[in-house]
Amino acid sequence: MNILHLSWMFGRPAKSRMAPQILTASAYAMVSAILLIVLGGAYSFTSFELEAQGTYLPLAIFAVVLLVVPLLVLGSAAARLSARSNDRALSSLRLLGATGAQISLVAVLQAAGTALAGALAGIALYFLAAPLASLIPFQGAPIGSAIYLPLWVLAVAVAAIVLLSAGSAAAGLRKLVITPLAVATRSTVPTPSWLRAVICIGGILLLYALFSNMGQFMQSIAAIIAVIAGGFGLGLLVMNLLGPYLVAKVGKGKLRKASTPQQLLAARMILESPVESWRQVSGVAMASFVAVVGGSGAALMASPGNEFGQGTWMEHVPADIVTGVLVTLAISFICVAASAAISQSASTLDRAPLYRGLNRLGMPYTTMNAARTKSIMIPALTASIGFAIASTILVLPLAGAAVLLQPLTVITVIACVVLGLLLVRTAISVADPQKLLASRE
Amino acid sequence: MLENSLGHPPVLDARGLYRSFGSTTALNGIDLQIALGQSLAIMGPSGSGKSTLLHALAGIELPDAGSIMLNLPGRAPVDIQGLKDKARTKLRREYFGFVFQSGLLIPELTAEENVAMALMINGVPRNAAIASAGSALAELGLTGMEQRRIGQLSGGQQQRVAIARAQVTGAMVVFADEPTGALDSTTGFEVLDTLLRCTVGAGKSLVMVTHDPNVAARCDRIVQLQDGQLTSDSLHPSNAAKDGAQQ
């Protein structure tokens, strides 16, 4: 019996693993559809005049690159969920003599198969959503039929999604130990290094210097875009280094103040691995950063005093940047919501015996669910509010001017962040232990 | 056997319990009364219905037919079979304690917090719950281990934490499913001693599923199950002698 046959046997749709399979495939479908729409948007820019392409295409590539990170996180979570939902079968295979590498290959092929099914469904979603997305205006006119990608791009995108998911599945499986007796998650508590602190402080100082001297770059749009893109990159690096510390600090504060079982449990769950807690919501911080820095920059460019290239393609750039920021925000939140739903489902399945046992002992599922929800939403709010404040301080002159000159743009961006957090809150409700475990019984 | 020496009615009174899973009959007309302060061992081969009986008595799963009455001192009798899921969950956390083979301790919490959690779920403020948990752990010889995480405790210490959690709420009935099954014989013996001291020694009832005849022999009474039916019900020789003398 070959590996492909085994993968199909354990990965084919089955009632007992229906919930995790649908969840994973839906998440891939959503991300694939989003990726195709973003690619469609980018592809539509190729119809602009050559000079405009030089500005728009790098920004579009930047948006696509931003998507790759949540896609990798999603792939890793999906592989773990897939292995979790098949834990008994995979353990039995080990017991029968299959090697760890063979089991990993089975799990990776299952994840790739689910990703393929999701990506194909994503193409259907893309065609359904494309008419709506084609109404998004760039360069003063709706994208229109230019959003439809050639067939070969669709094929390459599907192949890329499947390969990315397989790669991140292999990486995600390194966190699992599949033995002949059980599937367990490796518990490694990483120790923060002083180097991180140095890079953080250095990065923040550099960012501050960059944004404090923003006035010097205001001469050309290309320079502003370069500074904002560079700032994003540096900011994201600082965020990922600083995030776990911030989450741990908030977690400790919550632990001190906890007065109910769910608060106590949530605080301890966060403190169990601040790095993991951070990873699940880092996209929210990224969205906040994009919202504040991108939103402020765009609002400032759109303000009455700044009139770029009247009558040329450049006059649309400020409005298009606002559109781009809002689209990026929406995409970021959808990706965070999808990967949080997947990670939380994997975690609920991971803890199924404990949850069931605690319920037998008299702990209501609602308490466990409340603790689980808090353990995600506390870091999510910390990431969102913390990095919104930090980003505002970094670009204080820019943000201050944006609030004064374009309050509507700023309000729109804030509303998007709030809606995004609500989306994450709704998405993680799929991992409610009572509902998810009941579907497996 | 039905009433304890003070004339209290059986704390658990199960009649005509029947439970099946598909074509398999797990409980087939079980009648069982358990006295307050009594330790009862449920034995039998795998698949004989031991755990199903324990789960039914504890209100974890409802039997398909039959009735289970809970008679606690100073409280009105409760028909467990007639309670909805939410009410049975409340009943379990307020009146019952549990010690399972796997311990079922929350790995993220400290030993003290695991014990305190049982009280906090019942509405006890955190500080008071932590103080009670500390005392319960101290009684079981775990002083100095309060702040340790579960992974930092040995198997025997983990089971003691589980026992502390089972009795910190003042539960009058403690259910144990193979509580020493994962321990070596010396540690298992110590844990069993602790469990009996905290339950029967304090006037509470203990209902324990076990495969081990040596563990069962420490209980006041042993019932044997086979294919969902009670095949024997015997008192420990020392209790049988007492029972005979009383008659």
Side-chain angles (χ1 to χ4, degrees):
Chain A
M1 191 174 287
N2 62 31
I3 295 290
L4 273 175
H5 192 174
L6 276 176
S7 307
W8 169 246
M9 269 179 67
F10 293 116
R12 65 188 166 195
K15 199 183 167 195
S16 61
R17 43 179 188 258
M18 192 68 93
Q21 277 177 332
I22 289 178
L23 197 63
T24 315
S26 311
Y28 273 121
M30 209 181 334
V31 171
S32 307
I34 290 169
L35 183 68
L36 291 173
I37 286 168
V38 172
L39 283 175
Y43 182 71
S44 75
F45 296 163
T46 55
S47 61
F48 294 170
E49 60 182 270
L50 213 59
E51 204 185 343
Q53 283 185 32
T55 300
Y56 280 81
L57 284 176
L59 282 175
I61 292 166
F62 178 62
V64 174
V65 170
L66 277 180
L67 255 183
V68 172
V69 178
L71 190 66
L72 284 173
V73 174
L74 183 64
S76 163
R80 281 156 69 192
L81 178 64
S82 174
R84 272 283 155 215
S85 56
N86 271 326
D87 51 3
R88 280 181 214 141
L90 294 177
S91 295
S92 301
L93 276 181
R94 283 285 273 144
L95 198 60
L96 291 173
T99 64
Q102 285 172 320
I103 299 293
S104 296
L105 194 56
V106 168
V108 167
L109 283 174
Q110 282 176 359
T114 314
L116 179 63
L120 293 175
I123 290 181
L125 262 179
Y126 157 68
F127 280 112
L128 280 174
L132 205 65
S134 69
L135 298 176
I136 298 173
F138 281 103
Q139 281 290 299
I143 298 174
S145 61
I147 194 138
Y148 293 103
L149 292 160
L151 205 60
W152 68 268
V153 179
L154 293 181
V156 168
V158 169
I161 287 167
V162 172
L163 282 177
L164 272 176
S165 73
S168 60
L173 283 171
R174 288 174 56 224
K175 291 179 188 161
L176 286 184
V177 191
I178 302 170
T179 73
L181 298 175
V183 175
T185 305
R186 283 182 214 276
S187 53
T188 46
V189 183
T191 43
S193 80
W194 59 269
L195 195 63
R196 283 175 173 243
V198 171
I199 295 172
C200 277
I201 294 166
I204 290 168
L205 290 175
L206 199 62
L207 274 174
Y208 189 76
L210 200 67
F211 289 118
S212 303
N213 296 300
M214 196 70 188
Q216 292 177 22
F217 305 107
M218 293 293 276
Q219 311 309 320
S220 82
I221 287 182
I224 293 173
I225 290 169
V227 168
I228 290 177
F232 274 151
L234 196 58
L236 290 178
L237 176 72
V238 170
M239 263 184 338
N240 281 307
L241 292 173
L242 205 62
Y245 285 102
L246 190 65
V247 166
K249 190 130 188 76
V250 171
K252 279 178 189 159
K254 294 281 176 193
L255 179 66
R256 271 195 303 276
K257 289 181 194 158
S259 61
T260 64
Q262 46 269 47
Q263 286 170 350
L264 177 62
L265 197 47
R268 282 290 187 197
M269 285 165 99
I270 293 167
L271 291 172
E272 178 73 3
S273 174
V275 175
E276 187 59 36
S277 290
W278 169 255
R279 198 170 293 144
Q280 285 194 36
V281 298
S282 57
V284 173
M286 187 179 82
S288 278
F289 190 71
V290 169
V292 173
V293 180
S296 302
L300 208 61
M301 280 196 277
S303 62
N306 290 321
E307 285 159 358
F308 293 101
Q310 282 293 307
T312 68
W313 63 272
M314 282 194 284
E315 72 172 316
H316 299 294
V317 171
D320 289 352
I321 297 238
V322 174
T323 308
V325 166
L326 294 180
V327 169
T328 308
L329 273 184
I331 290 170
S332 304
F333 275 112
I334 290 172
C335 286
V336 170
S339 54
I342 291 276
S343 305
Q344 282 296 295
S345 299
S347 159
T348 297
L349 292 176
D350 211 13
R351 299 166 71 94
L354 180 67
Y355 282 145
R356 285 200 188 100
L358 290 174
N359 183 251
R360 287 175 177 176
L361 263 54
M363 184 187 272
Y365 277 122
T366 48
T367 303
M368 300 176 223
N369 193 41
R372 189 190 60 80
T373 306
K374 278 179 192 295
S375 73
I376 290 293
M377 291 314 290
I378 290 171
L381 285 168
T382 303
S384 184
I385 297 168
F387 281 90
I389 293 172
S391 311
T392 307
I393 294 170
L394 276 174
V395 292
L396 199 54
L398 207 65
V403 172
L404 289 174
L405 297 170
Q406 288 284 309
L408 196 62
T409 308
V410 175
I411 290 169
T412 309
V413 169
I414 292 171
C416 279
V417 172
V418 173
L419 275 176
L421 286 168
L422 287 173
L423 180 70
V424 174
R425 173 70 185 79
T426 309
I428 58 173
S429 66
V430 298
D432 181 344
Q434 193 162 18
K435 290 179 197 155
L436 193 59
L437 299 184
S439 72
R440 291 192 92 204
E441 277 170 355
Chain B
M1 200 184 293
L2 288 177
E3 295 184 349
N4 73 354
S5 55
L6 299 172
H8 189 272
V11 68
L12 280 167
D13 187 352
R15 289 176 194 273
L17 298 187
Y18 182 88
R19 177 83 164 112
S20 66
F21 299 98
S23 58
T24 308
T25 304
L27 300 177
N28 193 359
I30 301 266
D31 289 318
L32 185 66
Q33 289 78 42
I34 300 162
L36 188 64
Q38 184 178 58
S39 55
L40 170 79
I42 303 173
M43 296 192 74
S46 292
S48 59
K50 303 183 298 290
S51 292
T52 307
L53 176 60
L54 184 117
H55 291 167
L57 293 170
I60 291 170
E61 285 178 47
L62 288 180
D64 299 327
S67 71
I68 305 162
M69 295 299 294
L70 173 70
N71 300 298
L72 289 169
R75 293 189 184 274
V78 178
D79 174 12
I80 295 178
Q81 178 82 338
L83 297 176
K84 298 249 186 246
D85 184 56
K86 220 172 184 175
R88 281 187 285 119
T89 304
K90 187 169 182 281
L91 179 93
R92 289 198 296 275
R93 70 167 177 260
E94 287 181 355
Y95 300 126
F96 296 158
F98 295 89
V99 182
F100 289 148
Q101 183 174 353
S102 62
L104 290 176
L105 299 166
I106 302 172
E108 292 91 347
L109 299 182
T110 63
E112 194 173 60
E113 286 167 348
N114 262 286
V115 178
M117 189 58 80
L119 290 166
M120 288 175 72
I121 290 173
N122 278 328
V124 177
R126 182 180 173 184
N127 287 343
I130 291 285
S132 301
S135 307
L137 288 172
E139 275 175 36
L140 299 183
L142 292 171
T143 304
M145 312 262 178
E146 297 89 344
Q147 297 308 315
R148 288 204 189 173
R149 306 281 287 278
I150 299 310
Q152 296 171 312
L153 299 171
S154 69
Q157 288 166 340
Q158 288 182 21
Q159 279 305 63
R160 283 205 192 95
V161 174
I163 294 169
R165 182 180 61 184
Q167 55 97 34
V168 75
T169 55
M172 290 306 287
V173 185
V174 173
F175 294 92
D177 195 346
E178 301 282 7
T180 60
L183 305 173
D184 63 78
S185 57
T186 312
T187 312
F189 187 82
E190 289 168 7
V191 166
L192 186 61
D193 254 359
T194 309
L195 184 58
L196 286 166
R197 179 163 53 82
C198 289
T199 53
V200 184
K204 301 170 181 178
S205 302
L206 173 68
V207 182
M208 178 164 58
V209 164
T210 180
H211 272 101
D212 188 342
N214 295 321
V215 170
R218 303 280 307 276
C219 291
D220 301 330
R221 184 180 162 200
I222 302 171
V223 293
Q224 291 277 354
L225 253 72
Q226 178 85 47
D227 299 328
Q229 291 182 311
L230 278 184
T231 53
S232 81
D233 185 346
S234 58
L235 285 176
H236 188 273
S238 62
N239 289 313
K242 256 190 291 179
D243 207 34
Q246 280 171 3
Q247 284 169 7

